[in-house]
Amino acid sequence: MSKSVITLVLIIFSVFTNAQNWSDKEISTLQKFSLKALKPSVDTSNKYHDNQQAIAFGKALFFDKRLSSDGKISCSSCHDDKYAFTDNRKLAFGTRQGFRNTSTLLNVGSQDWFFADGAKDSLWSQALSSIENPAEQNFTRTELLHLIFEDVNYRNVYQRIVKKELTKEEIENLPEKAGPNSSLENLIAWKKLDKEQRQQINTVFTNAGKAIAAYVATIKSSESRFDNFVDELADKKTSTLLNDSEQRGLKLFMSKESGCANCHSGPLFSNKTFHDISTGIPGKDNGRSEVIESIIRDEFNCLGKYSDAKPEECDELKYINRDKHQLTGSYKTSTLRNIIDTAPYMHDGRFETLYEVINHYLEKSQEKPKKNDLTPIELNKEQQLDLVNFLLTL
Ligand code: HEC
Ligand code: HEC
């Protein structure tokens, strides 16, 4: 048969097998991507994870601008619910210019690793790093202690949650500003403290982080048009809740032809692990490979003394992939939920539109010799449009 006959047969075939036909097997696969399949988040390293008082306290801290060196930045400055808990910027801007695009916090409690390179293994250690990050809140842990002690509401709720009093003697002698992760001055003040004092400070600091984490874990997406479609499909075997183009885009997304669902799988549309899709910037940002050692050394990791987890509950950390060569240029597979509100895209916000993202895949998947984790794909203009229309249903 000539090439044109084959094409004709394929076109006729595709008209008759329109996108509204979904087999039982396909439907059951789709159900694994539905929000209903998302398991409740657990964090055994945080004993306050489900504590309602801690959630309320954490929420107050999340919105409190006093937790910053200039009194102007809170978590919510960058994670704004107007933009699916991002900031609508290419790169974050806190107390100064950052170098990464702000991630959404929707469903983040169900992730295993936090940040684009997964530099943190729990939501609470993540929160602590934002508070002290010189480009985010640039606060110190002793400042936070003083703040909690001096604000009577905070002090009372803190004491109720941890069931231990903060005594005046404990707090009064501490320097106003001290911490290991900021200016030289603050670092020197931190080094001057004795081990016991540092542990005392770290305990209050981590408890505050755990309260923030307990709140952040409650931030979830509501069901999308895609989820409603899957529900109706499971029920009636057919549904028009997504239009033809969106359904074709969904089929394509799930297919080997696009390969998208190899990495963007499950209810978050993310396999939660790290891949090289040629977005690394050699010499400047190599992603996952650069943070492995600091995760293992981190005093606030799952195996550390401030964690509430038993060692056997820290498998993610214990069996961490240490193959730096393989991980160079790798980033966490982004969730695709609420993608319409999370632009610009990728860890450095390099793309403004989903078409640019797809174009990146078309180009980088063809690279020879193969330099990344992508398999070659080719999509025509209509397929690209369908794919984007589908992504917008999430
Ligand atoms: C200056 C802006 C800014 C502030 C302030 C900020 N963040 Fe972020 N947040 C970011 C950026 C940028 C990223 C992505 C960084 C990266 O990937 O390396 C991020 C990532 C995260 C993540 C990881 C998401 C994921 O999927 O991996 C969580 C959770 C988070 N922030 C929570 C918080 C909390 C809690 C606070 C307050 C204690 C906070 N952030 C303060 C900008 C900010
Ligand atoms: C080999 C794994 C892999 C495959 C296959 C893959 N992706 Fe990705 N995707 C990723 C990773 C990793 C990132 C994050 C990269 C970064 O931040 O630099 C990402 C990011 C994205 C983003 C940006 C999300 C955001 O909020 O920034 C979109 C959109 C996206 N992918 C869509 C797709 C589509 C559509 C396909 C199929 C054509 C696809 N991906 C195939 C791993 C993959």
Side-chain angles (χ1 to χ4, degrees), residues 51-250:
N51 178 319
Q52 290 306 315
Q53 283 184 350
I55 292 173
F57 179 44
K59 184 172 181 181
L61 294 173
F62 186 90
F63 288 94
D64 193 338
K65 293 189 162 59
R66 290 177 298 171
L67 269 69
S68 61
S69 58
D70 61 6
K72 290 183 186 152
I73 310 287
S74 63
C75 309
S76 65
S77 307
C78 302
H79 300 286
D80 182 346
D81 68 353
K82 261 209 315 268
Y83 306 112
F85 292 88
T86 66
D87 52 7
N88 201 25
R89 286 170 181 269
K90 183 176 185 314
L91 298 171
F93 198 98
T95 38
R96 65 170 198 233
Q97 179 69 59
F99 74 110
R100 292 253 170 94
N101 176 252
T102 302
S103 327
T104 178
L105 299 187
L106 288 164
N107 316 308
V108 73
S110 301
Q111 296 277 358
D112 297 330
W113 298 101
F114 305 91
F115 292 134
D117 48 19
K120 294 288 161 181
D121 71 344
S122 72
L123 268 184
W124 57 270
S125 63
Q126 185 290 321
L128 301 179
S129 76
S130 291
I131 294 171
E132 290 195 319
N133 185 333
E136 295 190 359
Q137 283 157 278
N138 195 26
F139 212 43
T140 59
R141 47 192 85 174
T142 52
E143 282 173 295
L144 184 63
L145 230 74
H146 287 295
L147 176 72
I148 293 174
F149 185 75
E150 277 149 31
D151 181 317
V152 182
N153 289 333
Y154 277 177
R155 195 199 313 169
N156 287 340
V157 69
Y158 176 88
Q159 292 178 156
R160 274 204 302 277
I161 294 164
V162 305
K163 302 192 175 72
K164 190 175 170 290
E165 245 181 82
L166 285 172
T167 63
K168 209 169 161 116
E169 299 79 66
E170 247 180 320
I171 311 290
E172 247 177 8
N173 300 326
L174 298 178
E176 194 53 43
K177 293 184 187 187
N181 296 324
S182 65
S183 68
L184 188 61
E185 215 181 332
N186 298 341
L187 175 66
I188 293 170
W190 177 250
K191 294 252 169 170
K192 279 194 188 143
L193 297 167
D194 61 45
K195 197 173 159 205
E196 211 168 291
Q197 281 175 310
R198 279 189 240 152
Q199 278 184 19
Q200 236 168 26
I201 296 165
N202 284 349
T203 303
V204 181
F205 187 46
T206 49
N207 285 337
K210 286 173 186 179
I212 296 176
Y215 164 65
V216 170
T218 65
I219 300 174
K220 293 184 183 139
S221 328
S222 39
E223 300 218 324
S224 64
R225 284 179 52 230
F226 163 76
D227 299 305
N228 298 334
F229 169 78
V230 174
D231 283 350
E232 187 168 271
L233 205 55
D235 198 26
K236 300 187 178 148
K237 309 288 171 211
T238 173
S239 169
T240 52
L241 292 178
L242 299 190
N243 68 30
D244 278 354
S245 169
E246 291 163 342
Q247 293 198 34
R248 283 196 303 269
L250 171 56

Side-chain angles (χ1 to χ4, degrees), residues 86-91 101-102 341-346 348-353:
T86 66
D87 52 7
N88 201 25
R89 286 170 181 269
K90 183 176 185 314
L91 298 171
N101 176 252
T102 302
D341 295 318
T342 64
Y345 304 111
M346 301 300 180
D348 56 359
R350 67 181 67 182
F351 299 131
E352 298 213 351
T353 68

Side-chain angles (χ1 to χ4, degrees), residues 101 116 253 258-264 271 273-277 279-280 330-336 339 342-348 350 354 357-358 361 373-375 377 379 387 391:
N101 176 252
F253 184 89
S258 78
C260 307
N262 289 342
C263 300
H264 296 282
N271 57 5
T273 70
F274 302 90
H275 294 283
D276 178 0
I277 60 163
T279 52
S330 290
Y331 296 87
K332 188 170 76 175
T333 305
S334 318
T335 175
L336 300 181
I339 195 88
T342 64
Y345 304 111
M346 301 300 180
H347 70 273
D348 56 359
R350 67 181 67 182
L354 291 170
V357 173
I358 290 175
Y361 283 110
D373 297 350
L374 298 170
T375 42
I377 57 167
L379 305 172
L387 204 47
L391 291 173

